[in-house]
Amino acid sequence: MALKPNAGLGCDSPVYQADNYYHQFQYAPGLSAQGQNAADHARNNVVSPTDMDAPLNGSDVIVRDDDYTNVCGYNWWDPEDIGDTTIGLYTCEQRTTAGACDSAIIRLEETWGAQTTGDMRRSLACHEVGHSVGLQHRAENLPNGHGCMPAIINGRQNWSTHDRVHVNFAY
């Protein structure tokens, strides 16, 4: 059975490796100051120290924030109901013929971001940007080095040494 042309894209996208080391970012109009600060941290202090380049002048990764209620069918954060909710999401919107992600969107929950610390916002941006370069969730119980990639945002604002090695090897 052949895959549909858009299978595995958008809301259905798994984590794909980025298409190349030149990982260009664009901030969507209306990105909050908190969202921009978090994304700047991820670009300048998480991606740039690796073998990747993360300029703010393209459209490989579009970063946006909003008060989401229903994107991709997820239960987004609500201050009245802080159970198992989503505060960030990476989706691949377009792939190359080789299967790498050519265009992605990172969504950050703006209401959560406005009510939490800068460290937690930067941890969330680090996490979602990690997905945009192909990093998966890491186990929370790894001794000192799981960085910002566990499924639960932990306040860490950088990738682990292990994840940086993978990024440098891939790009």
Side-chain angles (χ1 to χ4, degrees):
M1 173 189 262
L3 287 176
K4 297 177 187 173
N6 63 350
L9 294 178
C11 294
D12 296 327
S13 68
V15 174
Y16 292 107
Q17 191 170 1
D19 61 341
N20 61 53
Y21 81 96
Y22 196 64
H23 207 50
Q24 300 174 80
F25 284 74
Q26 177 186 90
Y27 295 164
L31 181 66
S32 70
Q34 293 94 347
Q36 183 173 335
N37 175 276
D40 283 345
H41 171 81
R43 284 186 324 99
N44 297 323
N45 300 306
V46 180
V47 179
S48 289
T50 69
D51 291 342
M52 295 189 79
D53 195 6
L56 183 60
N57 67 353
S59 60
D60 289 335
V61 180
I62 298 171
V63 180
R64 58 183 56 187
D65 61 4
D66 203 344
D67 182 17
Y68 299 107
T69 56
N70 185 12
V71 173
C72 294
Y74 287 98
N75 183 26
W76 285 82
W77 190 83
D78 177 347
E80 305 296 319
D81 176 19
I82 56 171
D84 186 21
T85 59
T86 300
I87 55 174
L89 181 66
Y90 151 88
T91 56
C92 179
E93 302 298 316
Q94 182 177 352
R95 288 187 308 217
T96 65
T97 55
C101 187
D102 189 45
S103 176
I105 296 175
I106 290 175
R107 292 173 179 86
L108 308 173
E109 172 54 50
E110 187 174 21
T111 305
W112 175 84
Q115 296 182 18
T116 192
T117 65
D119 286 351
M120 292 302 280
R121 286 189 298 271
R122 288 186 290 276
S123 182
L124 175 60
C126 173
H127 180 94
E128 298 305 333
V129 168
H131 287 321
S132 79
V133 300
L135 297 178
Q136 303 284 335
H137 288 151
R138 310 265 290 137
E140 179 65 40
N141 60 356
L142 293 175
N144 343 308
H146 48 71
C148 66
M149 291 310 297
I152 296 172
I153 301 305
N154 59 13
R156 290 194 172 86
Q157 300 171 39
N158 215 324
W159 296 331
S160 68
T161 301
H162 179 88
D163 288 337
R164 284 191 300 275
V165 167
H166 277 283
V167 168
N168 287 335
F169 179 79
Y171 302 100

